PDB file of all heavy atoms in Angstrom:
ATOM      1  N   ILE A   1     121.769 107.823 106.951  1.00  0.00           N
ATOM      2  CA  ILE A   1     122.210 109.007 107.686  1.00  0.00           C
ATOM      3  C   ILE A   1     121.213 109.349 108.791  1.00  0.00           C
ATOM      4  O   ILE A   1     121.595 109.617 109.944  1.00  0.00           O
ATOM      5  CB  ILE A   1     122.376 110.203 106.726  1.00  0.00           C
ATOM      6  CG1 ILE A   1     123.561 109.960 105.781  1.00  0.00           C
ATOM      7  CG2 ILE A   1     122.582 111.507 107.510  1.00  0.00           C
ATOM      8  CD1 ILE A   1     123.675 110.977 104.665  1.00  0.00           C
ATOM      9  N   VAL A   2     119.931 109.331 108.453  1.00  0.00           N
ATOM     10  CA  VAL A   2     118.886 109.632 109.438  1.00  0.00           C
ATOM     11  C   VAL A   2     118.910 108.594 110.562  1.00  0.00           C
ATOM     12  O   VAL A   2     118.804 108.934 111.747  1.00  0.00           O
ATOM     13  CB  VAL A   2     117.504 109.679 108.768  1.00  0.00           C
ATOM     14  CG1 VAL A   2     116.394 109.787 109.812  1.00  0.00           C
ATOM     15  CG2 VAL A   2     117.428 110.848 107.800  1.00  0.00           C
ATOM     16  N   GLU A   3     119.041 107.313 110.208  1.00  0.00           N
ATOM     17  CA  GLU A   3     119.109 106.251 111.215  1.00  0.00           C
ATOM     18  C   GLU A   3     120.315 106.435 112.127  1.00  0.00           C
ATOM     19  O   GLU A   3     120.203 106.311 113.351  1.00  0.00           O
ATOM     20  CB  GLU A   3     119.189 104.887 110.525  1.00  0.00           C
ATOM     21  CG  GLU A   3     119.587 103.729 111.422  1.00  0.00           C
ATOM     22  CD  GLU A   3     118.610 103.456 112.545  1.00  0.00           C
ATOM     23  OE1 GLU A   3     117.422 103.806 112.405  1.00  0.00           O
ATOM     24  OE2 GLU A   3     119.034 102.892 113.572  1.00  0.00           O
ATOM     25  N   GLY A   4     121.460 106.749 111.550  1.00  0.00           N
ATOM     26  CA  GLY A   4     122.678 106.917 112.346  1.00  0.00           C
ATOM     27  C   GLY A   4     122.578 108.065 113.344  1.00  0.00           C
ATOM     28  O   GLY A   4     123.145 107.998 114.435  1.00  0.00           O
ATOM     29  N   ILE A   5     121.850 109.100 112.978  1.00  0.00           N
ATOM     30  CA  ILE A   5     121.671 110.248 113.877  1.00  0.00           C
ATOM     31  C   ILE A   5     120.634 109.953 114.953  1.00  0.00           C
ATOM     32  O   ILE A   5     120.855 110.177 116.141  1.00  0.00           O
ATOM     33  CB  ILE A   5     121.248 111.501 113.077  1.00  0.00           C
ATOM     34  CG1 ILE A   5     122.370 111.947 112.139  1.00  0.00           C
ATOM     35  CG2 ILE A   5     120.871 112.649 114.037  1.00  0.00           C
ATOM     36  CD1 ILE A   5     121.970 113.053 111.178  1.00  0.00           C
ATOM     37  N   THR A   6     119.497 109.406 114.532  1.00  0.00           N
ATOM     38  CA  THR A   6     118.353 109.300 115.445  1.00  0.00           C
ATOM     39  C   THR A   6     118.353 108.057 116.311  1.00  0.00           C
ATOM     40  O   THR A   6     117.627 108.001 117.299  1.00  0.00           O
ATOM     41  CB  THR A   6     117.033 109.347 114.656  1.00  0.00           C
ATOM     42  OG1 THR A   6     116.999 108.252 113.714  1.00  0.00           O
ATOM     43  CG2 THR A   6     116.917 110.652 113.883  1.00  0.00           C
ATOM     44  N   GLU A   7     119.147 107.049 115.955  1.00  0.00           N
ATOM     45  CA  GLU A   7     119.155 105.826 116.756  1.00  0.00           C
ATOM     46  C   GLU A   7     119.745 106.059 118.132  1.00  0.00           C
ATOM     47  O   GLU A   7     119.312 105.490 119.129  1.00  0.00           O
ATOM     48  CB  GLU A   7     119.945 104.721 116.039  1.00  0.00           C
ATOM     49  CG  GLU A   7     119.907 103.377 116.750  1.00  0.00           C
ATOM     50  CD  GLU A   7     118.492 102.841 116.903  1.00  0.00           C
ATOM     51  OE1 GLU A   7     117.748 102.801 115.910  1.00  0.00           O
ATOM     52  OE2 GLU A   7     118.126 102.474 118.041  1.00  0.00           O
ATOM     53  N   TRP A   8     120.758 106.930 118.207  1.00  0.00           N
ATOM     54  CA  TRP A   8     121.476 107.111 119.480  1.00  0.00           C
ATOM     55  C   TRP A   8     121.046 108.346 120.237  1.00  0.00           C
ATOM     56  O   TRP A   8     121.090 108.369 121.467  1.00  0.00           O
ATOM     57  CB  TRP A   8     122.980 107.127 119.207  1.00  0.00           C
ATOM     58  CG  TRP A   8     123.383 105.901 118.460  1.00  0.00           C
ATOM     59  CD1 TRP A   8     123.878 105.806 117.199  1.00  0.00           C
ATOM     60  CD2 TRP A   8     123.248 104.542 118.922  1.00  0.00           C
ATOM     61  NE1 TRP A   8     124.063 104.499 116.848  1.00  0.00           N
ATOM     62  CE2 TRP A   8     123.694 103.696 117.883  1.00  0.00           C
ATOM     63  CE3 TRP A   8     122.792 103.963 120.112  1.00  0.00           C
ATOM     64  CZ2 TRP A   8     123.700 102.313 118.004  1.00  0.00           C
ATOM     65  CZ3 TRP A   8     122.792 102.581 120.233  1.00  0.00           C
ATOM     66  CH2 TRP A   8     123.233 101.779 119.189  1.00  0.00           C
ATOM     67  N   LEU A   9     120.646 109.385 119.525  1.00  0.00           N
ATOM     68  CA  LEU A   9     120.053 110.518 120.218  1.00  0.00           C
ATOM     69  C   LEU A   9     118.642 110.096 120.628  1.00  0.00           C
ATOM     70  O   LEU A   9     117.945 109.454 119.842  1.00  0.00           O
ATOM     71  CB  LEU A   9     119.996 111.747 119.303  1.00  0.00           C
ATOM     72  CG  LEU A   9     121.333 112.238 118.741  1.00  0.00           C
ATOM     73  CD1 LEU A   9     121.125 113.488 117.901  1.00  0.00           C
ATOM     74  CD2 LEU A   9     122.351 112.501 119.851  1.00  0.00           C
ATOM     75  N   PRO A  10     118.208 110.431 121.828  1.00  0.00           N
ATOM     76  CA  PRO A  10     116.906 109.936 122.322  1.00  0.00           C
ATOM     77  C   PRO A  10     115.722 110.674 121.716  1.00  0.00           C
ATOM     78  O   PRO A  10     114.891 111.267 122.409  1.00  0.00           O
ATOM     79  CB  PRO A  10     117.007 110.174 123.833  1.00  0.00           C
ATOM     80  CG  PRO A  10     117.912 111.359 123.960  1.00  0.00           C
ATOM     81  CD  PRO A  10     118.928 111.219 122.857  1.00  0.00           C
ATOM     82  N   ILE A  11     115.640 110.628 120.375  1.00  0.00           N
ATOM     83  CA  ILE A  11     114.611 111.402 119.676  1.00  0.00           C
ATOM     84  C   ILE A  11     113.749 110.537 118.767  1.00  0.00           C
ATOM     85  O   ILE A  11     112.946 111.071 117.993  1.00  0.00           O
ATOM     86  CB  ILE A  11     115.246 112.554 118.863  1.00  0.00           C
ATOM     87  CG1 ILE A  11     116.329 112.022 117.923  1.00  0.00           C
ATOM     88  CG2 ILE A  11     115.817 113.606 119.802  1.00  0.00           C
ATOM     89  CD1 ILE A  11     116.980 113.090 117.060  1.00  0.00           C
ATOM     90  N   SER A  12     113.916 109.216 118.823  1.00  0.00           N
ATOM     91  CA  SER A  12     113.092 108.251 118.099  1.00  0.00           C
ATOM     92  C   SER A  12     113.442 108.137 116.619  1.00  0.00           C
ATOM     93  O   SER A  12     113.059 109.004 115.809  1.00  0.00           O
ATOM     94  CB  SER A  12     111.596 108.569 118.230  1.00  0.00           C
ATOM     95  OG  SER A  12     110.838 107.677 117.432  1.00  0.00           O
ATOM     96  N   SER A  13     114.127 107.069 116.284  1.00  0.00           N
ATOM     97  CA  SER A  13     114.417 106.800 114.875  1.00  0.00           C
ATOM     98  C   SER A  13     113.122 106.462 114.129  1.00  0.00           C
ATOM     99  O   SER A  13     112.957 106.832 112.963  1.00  0.00           O
ATOM    100  CB  SER A  13     115.418 105.643 114.748  1.00  0.00           C
ATOM    101  OG  SER A  13     114.921 104.468 115.343  1.00  0.00           O
ATOM    102  N   THR A  14     112.188 105.803 114.803  1.00  0.00           N
ATOM    103  CA  THR A  14     110.920 105.436 114.170  1.00  0.00           C
ATOM    104  C   THR A  14     110.145 106.674 113.722  1.00  0.00           C
ATOM    105  O   THR A  14     109.612 106.722 112.618  1.00  0.00           O
ATOM    106  CB  THR A  14     110.046 104.611 115.131  1.00  0.00           C
ATOM    107  OG1 THR A  14     110.746 103.442 115.520  1.00  0.00           O
ATOM    108  CG2 THR A  14     108.733 104.215 114.462  1.00  0.00           C
ATOM    109  N   GLY A  15     110.075 107.672 114.595  1.00  0.00           N
ATOM    110  CA  GLY A  15     109.360 108.894 114.256  1.00  0.00           C
ATOM    111  C   GLY A  15     109.923 109.562 113.018  1.00  0.00           C
ATOM    112  O   GLY A  15     109.177 110.066 112.163  1.00  0.00           O
ATOM    113  N   HIS A  16     111.236 109.546 112.894  1.00  0.00           N
ATOM    114  CA  HIS A  16     111.872 110.171 111.735  1.00  0.00           C
ATOM    115  C   HIS A  16     111.713 109.316 110.478  1.00  0.00           C
ATOM    116  O   HIS A  16     111.512 109.841 109.380  1.00  0.00           O
ATOM    117  CB  HIS A  16     113.355 110.411 112.020  1.00  0.00           C
ATOM    118  CG  HIS A  16     113.614 111.493 113.009  1.00  0.00           C
ATOM    119  ND1 HIS A  16     113.489 111.295 114.373  1.00  0.00           N
ATOM    120  CD2 HIS A  16     113.970 112.800 112.842  1.00  0.00           C
ATOM    121  CE1 HIS A  16     113.775 112.439 114.995  1.00  0.00           C
ATOM    122  NE2 HIS A  16     114.055 113.351 114.092  1.00  0.00           N
ATOM    123  N   LEU A  17     111.810 108.008 110.637  1.00  0.00           N
ATOM    124  CA  LEU A  17     111.724 107.131 109.472  1.00  0.00           C
ATOM    125  C   LEU A  17     110.318 107.102 108.857  1.00  0.00           C
ATOM    126  O   LEU A  17     110.179 106.991 107.642  1.00  0.00           O
ATOM    127  CB  LEU A  17     112.167 105.714 109.839  1.00  0.00           C
ATOM    128  CG  LEU A  17     113.671 105.538 110.083  1.00  0.00           C
ATOM    129  CD1 LEU A  17     113.981 104.099 110.462  1.00  0.00           C
ATOM    130  CD2 LEU A  17     114.489 105.947 108.856  1.00  0.00           C
ATOM    131  N   ILE A  18     109.276 107.215 109.698  1.00  0.00           N
ATOM    132  CA  ILE A  18     107.934 107.205 109.109  1.00  0.00           C
ATOM    133  C   ILE A  18     107.676 108.509 108.344  1.00  0.00           C
ATOM    134  O   ILE A  18     106.962 108.517 107.337  1.00  0.00           O
ATOM    135  CB  ILE A  18     106.825 106.974 110.155  1.00  0.00           C
ATOM    136  CG1 ILE A  18     106.730 108.134 111.142  1.00  0.00           C
ATOM    137  CG2 ILE A  18     106.995 105.668 110.866  1.00  0.00           C
ATOM    138  CD1 ILE A  18     105.447 108.114 111.946  1.00  0.00           C
ATOM    139  N   LEU A  19     108.260 109.611 108.813  1.00  0.00           N
ATOM    140  CA  LEU A  19     108.172 110.856 108.057  1.00  0.00           C
ATOM    141  C   LEU A  19     108.942 110.732 106.751  1.00  0.00           C
ATOM    142  O   LEU A  19     108.467 111.138 105.683  1.00  0.00           O
ATOM    143  CB  LEU A  19     108.725 112.024 108.881  1.00  0.00           C
ATOM    144  CG  LEU A  19     107.788 112.679 109.896  1.00  0.00           C
ATOM    145  CD1 LEU A  19     108.544 113.722 110.711  1.00  0.00           C
ATOM    146  CD2 LEU A  19     106.596 113.315 109.194  1.00  0.00           C
ATOM    147  N   LEU A  20     110.149 110.161 106.840  1.00  0.00           N
ATOM    148  CA  LEU A  20     110.990 110.008 105.657  1.00  0.00           C
ATOM    149  C   LEU A  20     110.334 109.081 104.640  1.00  0.00           C
ATOM    150  O   LEU A  20     110.442 109.289 103.429  1.00  0.00           O
ATOM    151  CB  LEU A  20     112.361 109.455 106.074  1.00  0.00           C
ATOM    152  CG  LEU A  20     113.505 109.602 105.061  1.00  0.00           C
ATOM    153  CD1 LEU A  20     113.704 111.069 104.692  1.00  0.00           C
ATOM    154  CD2 LEU A  20     114.796 109.025 105.630  1.00  0.00           C
ATOM    155  N   GLU A  21     109.634 108.056 105.140  1.00  0.00           N
ATOM    156  CA  GLU A  21     108.957 107.116 104.248  1.00  0.00           C
ATOM    157  C   GLU A  21     107.885 107.830 103.430  1.00  0.00           C
ATOM    158  O   GLU A  21     107.681 107.522 102.246  1.00  0.00           O
ATOM    159  CB  GLU A  21     108.327 105.982 105.053  1.00  0.00           C
ATOM    160  CG  GLU A  21     107.629 104.936 104.191  1.00  0.00           C
ATOM    161  CD  GLU A  21     106.849 103.917 105.018  1.00  0.00           C
ATOM    162  OE1 GLU A  21     106.639 104.156 106.223  1.00  0.00           O
ATOM    163  OE2 GLU A  21     106.436 102.901 104.447  1.00  0.00           O
ATOM    164  N   LYS A  22     107.196 108.779 104.045  1.00  0.00           N
ATOM    165  CA  LYS A  22     106.156 109.517 103.324  1.00  0.00           C
ATOM    166  C   LYS A  22     106.750 110.534 102.349  1.00  0.00           C
ATOM    167  O   LYS A  22     106.238 110.748 101.259  1.00  0.00           O
ATOM    168  CB  LYS A  22     105.231 110.224 104.316  1.00  0.00           C
ATOM    169  CG  LYS A  22     104.372 109.273 105.150  1.00  0.00           C
ATOM    170  CD  LYS A  22     103.426 108.479 104.267  1.00  0.00           C
ATOM    171  CE  LYS A  22     102.556 107.549 105.089  1.00  0.00           C
ATOM    172  NZ  LYS A  22     101.684 106.708 104.237  1.00  0.00           N
ATOM    173  N   LEU A  23     107.840 111.176 102.771  1.00  0.00           N
ATOM    174  CA  LEU A  23     108.465 112.193 101.935  1.00  0.00           C
ATOM    175  C   LEU A  23     109.320 111.599 100.825  1.00  0.00           C
ATOM    176  O   LEU A  23     109.436 112.167  99.735  1.00  0.00           O
ATOM    177  CB  LEU A  23     109.328 113.121 102.803  1.00  0.00           C
ATOM    178  CG  LEU A  23     108.598 113.945 103.859  1.00  0.00           C
ATOM    179  CD1 LEU A  23     109.602 114.640 104.769  1.00  0.00           C
ATOM    180  CD2 LEU A  23     107.689 114.965 103.185  1.00  0.00           C
ATOM    181  N   MET A  24     109.937 110.424 101.124  1.00  0.00           N
ATOM    182  CA  MET A  24     110.890 109.832 100.200  1.00  0.00           C
ATOM    183  C   MET A  24     110.763 108.305 100.216  1.00  0.00           C
ATOM    184  O   MET A  24     111.655 107.598 100.699  1.00  0.00           O
ATOM    185  CB  MET A  24     112.310 110.251 100.623  1.00  0.00           C
ATOM    186  CG  MET A  24     113.400 109.966  99.622  1.00  0.00           C
ATOM    187  SD  MET A  24     115.005 110.427 100.337  1.00  0.00           S
ATOM    188  CE  MET A  24     114.770 112.194 100.579  1.00  0.00           C
ATOM    189  N   PRO A  25     109.658 107.771  99.750  1.00  0.00           N
ATOM    190  CA  PRO A  25     109.431 106.320  99.841  1.00  0.00           C
ATOM    191  C   PRO A  25     110.379 105.521  98.952  1.00  0.00           C
ATOM    192  O   PRO A  25     110.748 105.964  97.857  1.00  0.00           O
ATOM    193  CB  PRO A  25     107.980 106.170  99.367  1.00  0.00           C
ATOM    194  CG  PRO A  25     107.752 107.348  98.471  1.00  0.00           C
ATOM    195  CD  PRO A  25     108.546 108.471  99.075  1.00  0.00           C
ATOM    196  N   LEU A  26     110.786 104.359  99.460  1.00  0.00           N
ATOM    197  CA  LEU A  26     111.568 103.428  98.648  1.00  0.00           C
ATOM    198  C   LEU A  26     110.619 102.656  97.735  1.00  0.00           C
ATOM    199  O   LEU A  26     109.503 102.343  98.119  1.00  0.00           O
ATOM    200  CB  LEU A  26     112.324 102.445  99.539  1.00  0.00           C
ATOM    201  CG  LEU A  26     113.439 103.029 100.426  1.00  0.00           C
ATOM    202  CD1 LEU A  26     113.928 101.972 101.419  1.00  0.00           C
ATOM    203  CD2 LEU A  26     114.597 103.541  99.579  1.00  0.00           C
ATOM    204  N   ASN A  27     111.080 102.332  96.548  1.00  0.00           N
ATOM    205  CA  ASN A  27     110.248 101.588  95.604  1.00  0.00           C
ATOM    206  C   ASN A  27     110.427 100.085  95.824  1.00  0.00           C
ATOM    207  O   ASN A  27     110.840  99.349  94.927  1.00  0.00           O
ATOM    208  CB  ASN A  27     110.638 101.959  94.164  1.00  0.00           C
ATOM    209  CG  ASN A  27     110.453 103.436  93.901  1.00  0.00           C
ATOM    210  OD1 ASN A  27     109.411 104.001  94.215  1.00  0.00           O
ATOM    211  ND2 ASN A  27     111.463 104.070  93.321  1.00  0.00           N
ATOM    212  N   MET A  28     110.122  99.646  97.037  1.00  0.00           N
ATOM    213  CA  MET A  28     110.418  98.269  97.414  1.00  0.00           C
ATOM    214  C   MET A  28     109.223  97.509  97.978  1.00  0.00           C
ATOM    215  O   MET A  28     109.303  96.314  98.173  1.00  0.00           O
ATOM    216  CB  MET A  28     111.543  98.263  98.472  1.00  0.00           C
ATOM    217  CG  MET A  28     112.861  98.809  97.969  1.00  0.00           C
ATOM    218  SD  MET A  28     113.649  97.709  96.801  1.00  0.00           S
ATOM    219  CE  MET A  28     114.982  98.738  96.233  1.00  0.00           C
ATOM    220  N   GLY A  29     108.161  98.167  98.293  1.00  0.00           N
ATOM    221  CA  GLY A  29     107.009  97.487  98.871  1.00  0.00           C
ATOM    222  C   GLY A  29     107.005  97.561 100.386  1.00  0.00           C
ATOM    223  O   GLY A  29     108.047  97.710 101.031  1.00  0.00           O
ATOM    224  N   ASP A  30     105.808  97.463 100.956  1.00  0.00           N
ATOM    225  CA  ASP A  30     105.636  97.613 102.404  1.00  0.00           C
ATOM    226  C   ASP A  30     106.336  96.517 103.198  1.00  0.00           C
ATOM    227  O   ASP A  30     106.904  96.780 104.257  1.00  0.00           O
ATOM    228  CB  ASP A  30     104.139  97.623 102.753  1.00  0.00           C
ATOM    229  CG  ASP A  30     103.449  98.882 102.268  1.00  0.00           C
ATOM    230  OD1 ASP A  30     104.145  99.878 102.014  1.00  0.00           O
ATOM    231  OD2 ASP A  30     102.206  98.863 102.146  1.00  0.00           O
ATOM    232  N   GLU A  31     106.277  95.282 102.707  1.00  0.00           N
ATOM    233  CA  GLU A  31     106.883  94.168 103.445  1.00  0.00           C
ATOM    234  C   GLU A  31     108.385  94.356 103.587  1.00  0.00           C
ATOM    235  O   GLU A  31     108.950  94.144 104.664  1.00  0.00           O
ATOM    236  CB  GLU A  31     106.594  92.841 102.735  1.00  0.00           C
ATOM    237  CG  GLU A  31     107.051  91.623 103.522  1.00  0.00           C
ATOM    238  CD  GLU A  31     106.750  90.321 102.809  1.00  0.00           C
ATOM    239  OE1 GLU A  31     106.145  90.369 101.719  1.00  0.00           O
ATOM    240  OE2 GLU A  31     107.128  89.259 103.334  1.00  0.00           O
ATOM    241  N   PHE A  32     109.031  94.798 102.511  1.00  0.00           N
ATOM    242  CA  PHE A  32     110.469  95.046 102.571  1.00  0.00           C
ATOM    243  C   PHE A  32     110.774  96.190 103.528  1.00  0.00           C
ATOM    244  O   PHE A  32     111.711  96.107 104.329  1.00  0.00           O
ATOM    245  CB  PHE A  32     111.022  95.376 101.186  1.00  0.00           C
ATOM    246  CG  PHE A  32     112.476  95.802 101.214  1.00  0.00           C
ATOM    247  CD1 PHE A  32     113.492  94.857 101.260  1.00  0.00           C
ATOM    248  CD2 PHE A  32     112.822  97.148 101.212  1.00  0.00           C
ATOM    249  CE1 PHE A  32     114.823  95.240 101.301  1.00  0.00           C
ATOM    250  CE2 PHE A  32     114.147  97.550 101.250  1.00  0.00           C
ATOM    251  CZ  PHE A  32     115.159  96.596 101.301  1.00  0.00           C
ATOM    252  N   PHE A  33     109.985  97.257 103.471  1.00  0.00           N
ATOM    253  CA  PHE A  33     110.279  98.419 104.308  1.00  0.00           C
ATOM    254  C   PHE A  33     110.132  98.104 105.782  1.00  0.00           C
ATOM    255  O   PHE A  33     110.918  98.579 106.606  1.00  0.00           O
ATOM    256  CB  PHE A  33     109.374  99.602 103.951  1.00  0.00           C
ATOM    257  CG  PHE A  33     109.764 100.867 104.669  1.00  0.00           C
ATOM    258  CD1 PHE A  33     110.809 101.643 104.194  1.00  0.00           C
ATOM    259  CD2 PHE A  33     109.113 101.266 105.827  1.00  0.00           C
ATOM    260  CE1 PHE A  33     111.192 102.796 104.867  1.00  0.00           C
ATOM    261  CE2 PHE A  33     109.481 102.419 106.498  1.00  0.00           C
ATOM    262  CZ  PHE A  33     110.530 103.188 106.015  1.00  0.00           C
ATOM    263  N   ARG A  34     109.132  97.298 106.162  1.00  0.00           N
ATOM    264  CA  ARG A  34     108.961  96.914 107.567  1.00  0.00           C
ATOM    265  C   ARG A  34     110.189  96.160 108.074  1.00  0.00           C
ATOM    266  O   ARG A  34     110.572  96.306 109.232  1.00  0.00           O
ATOM    267  CB  ARG A  34     107.714  96.043 107.730  1.00  0.00           C
ATOM    268  CG  ARG A  34     106.396  96.710 107.423  1.00  0.00           C
ATOM    269  CD  ARG A  34     105.911  97.630 108.545  1.00  0.00           C
ATOM    270  NE  ARG A  34     106.535  98.942 108.526  1.00  0.00           N
ATOM    271  CZ  ARG A  34     106.144  99.941 107.750  1.00  0.00           C
ATOM    272  NH1 ARG A  34     105.143  99.793 106.928  1.00  0.00           N
ATOM    273  NH2 ARG A  34     106.744 101.104 107.808  1.00  0.00           N
ATOM    274  N   MET A  35     110.781  95.352 107.216  1.00  0.00           N
ATOM    275  CA  MET A  35     112.013  94.659 107.580  1.00  0.00           C
ATOM    276  C   MET A  35     113.197  95.623 107.552  1.00  0.00           C
ATOM    277  O   MET A  35     114.023  95.649 108.466  1.00  0.00           O
ATOM    278  CB  MET A  35     112.257  93.494 106.618  1.00  0.00           C
ATOM    279  CG  MET A  35     113.547  92.698 106.835  1.00  0.00           C
ATOM    280  SD  MET A  35     115.009  93.440 106.029  1.00  0.00           S
ATOM    281  CE  MET A  35     114.528  93.374 104.305  1.00  0.00           C
ATOM    282  N   PHE A  36     113.256  96.445 106.531  1.00  0.00           N
ATOM    283  CA  PHE A  36     114.362  97.372 106.309  1.00  0.00           C
ATOM    284  C   PHE A  36     114.562  98.330 107.480  1.00  0.00           C
ATOM    285  O   PHE A  36     115.687  98.549 107.930  1.00  0.00           O
ATOM    286  CB  PHE A  36     114.091  98.165 105.022  1.00  0.00           C
ATOM    287  CG  PHE A  36     114.980  99.351 104.805  1.00  0.00           C
ATOM    288  CD1 PHE A  36     116.241  99.198 104.247  1.00  0.00           C
ATOM    289  CD2 PHE A  36     114.564 100.639 105.143  1.00  0.00           C
ATOM    290  CE1 PHE A  36     117.071 100.293 104.038  1.00  0.00           C
ATOM    291  CE2 PHE A  36     115.378 101.739 104.945  1.00  0.00           C
ATOM    292  CZ  PHE A  36     116.637 101.554 104.391  1.00  0.00           C
ATOM    293  N   GLU A  37     113.473  98.895 108.005  1.00  0.00           N
ATOM    294  CA  GLU A  37     113.596  99.911 109.045  1.00  0.00           C
ATOM    295  C   GLU A  37     114.116  99.341 110.367  1.00  0.00           C
ATOM    296  O   GLU A  37     114.545 100.088 111.244  1.00  0.00           O
ATOM    297  CB  GLU A  37     112.259 100.622 109.273  1.00  0.00           C
ATOM    298  CG  GLU A  37     111.166  99.735 109.822  1.00  0.00           C
ATOM    299  CD  GLU A  37     109.864 100.485 110.030  1.00  0.00           C
ATOM    300  OE1 GLU A  37     109.875 101.730 109.983  1.00  0.00           O
ATOM    301  OE2 GLU A  37     108.840  99.818 110.237  1.00  0.00           O
ATOM    302  N   VAL A  38     114.079  98.021 110.515  1.00  0.00           N
ATOM    303  CA  VAL A  38     114.642  97.376 111.694  1.00  0.00           C
ATOM    304  C   VAL A  38     116.081  96.933 111.430  1.00  0.00           C
ATOM    305  O   VAL A  38     116.990  97.206 112.204  1.00  0.00           O
ATOM    306  CB  VAL A  38     113.789  96.160 112.127  1.00  0.00           C
ATOM    307  CG1 VAL A  38     114.474  95.404 113.274  1.00  0.00           C
ATOM    308  CG2 VAL A  38     112.408  96.622 112.547  1.00  0.00           C
ATOM    309  N   VAL A  39     116.300  96.266 110.298  1.00  0.00           N
ATOM    310  CA  VAL A  39     117.611  95.692 109.996  1.00  0.00           C
ATOM    311  C   VAL A  39     118.660  96.771 109.723  1.00  0.00           C
ATOM    312  O   VAL A  39     119.855  96.564 109.953  1.00  0.00           O
ATOM    313  CB  VAL A  39     117.503  94.706 108.813  1.00  0.00           C
ATOM    314  CG1 VAL A  39     118.863  94.107 108.466  1.00  0.00           C
ATOM    315  CG2 VAL A  39     116.523  93.587 109.161  1.00  0.00           C
ATOM    316  N   ILE A  40     118.215  97.939 109.269  1.00  0.00           N
ATOM    317  CA  ILE A  40     119.152  99.049 109.048  1.00  0.00           C
ATOM    318  C   ILE A  40     119.912  99.398 110.330  1.00  0.00           C
ATOM    319  O   ILE A  40     121.026  99.916 110.306  1.00  0.00           O
ATOM    320  CB  ILE A  40     118.386 100.287 108.513  1.00  0.00           C
ATOM    321  CG1 ILE A  40     119.352 101.383 108.061  1.00  0.00           C
ATOM    322  CG2 ILE A  40     117.440 100.833 109.570  1.00  0.00           C
ATOM    323  CD1 ILE A  40     118.637 102.614 107.516  1.00  0.00           C
ATOM    324  N   GLN A  41     119.313  99.046 111.479  1.00  0.00           N
ATOM    325  CA  GLN A  41     119.930  99.338 112.772  1.00  0.00           C
ATOM    326  C   GLN A  41     121.216  98.555 113.009  1.00  0.00           C
ATOM    327  O   GLN A  41     122.030  98.934 113.861  1.00  0.00           O
ATOM    328  CB  GLN A  41     118.942  99.040 113.901  1.00  0.00           C
ATOM    329  CG  GLN A  41     117.685  99.886 113.857  1.00  0.00           C
ATOM    330  CD  GLN A  41     116.654  99.436 114.877  1.00  0.00           C
ATOM    331  OE1 GLN A  41     116.725  98.345 115.431  1.00  0.00           O
ATOM    332  NE2 GLN A  41     115.670 100.280 115.126  1.00  0.00           N
TER     333      GLN A  41
END
């Protein structure tokens, strides 16, 4: 949901996702998340 909103509005999906990662981390490991935050696009 966050990606769908922030990817097209010029407000930076990366900025929102790094906040979300700290507030609500996935239990998947850093390597997966680095891939995930790009492929989710």
Side-chain angles (χ1 to χ4, degrees):
I1 292 171
V2 172
E3 166 62 25
I5 294 172
T6 60
E7 185 60 50
W8 306 115
L9 302 182
I11 54 178
S12 175
S13 59
T14 301
H16 289 79
L17 288 179
I18 66 165
L19 277 175
L20 197 57
E21 181 188 13
K22 292 297 181 183
L23 297 171
M24 192 184 298
L26 293 170
N27 300 312
M28 296 289 171
D30 291 340
E31 187 180 358
F32 173 82
F33 187 81
R34 295 282 81 82
M35 178 276 298
F36 168 83
E37 65 180 347
V38 174
V39 179
I40 189 179
Q41 298 172 345

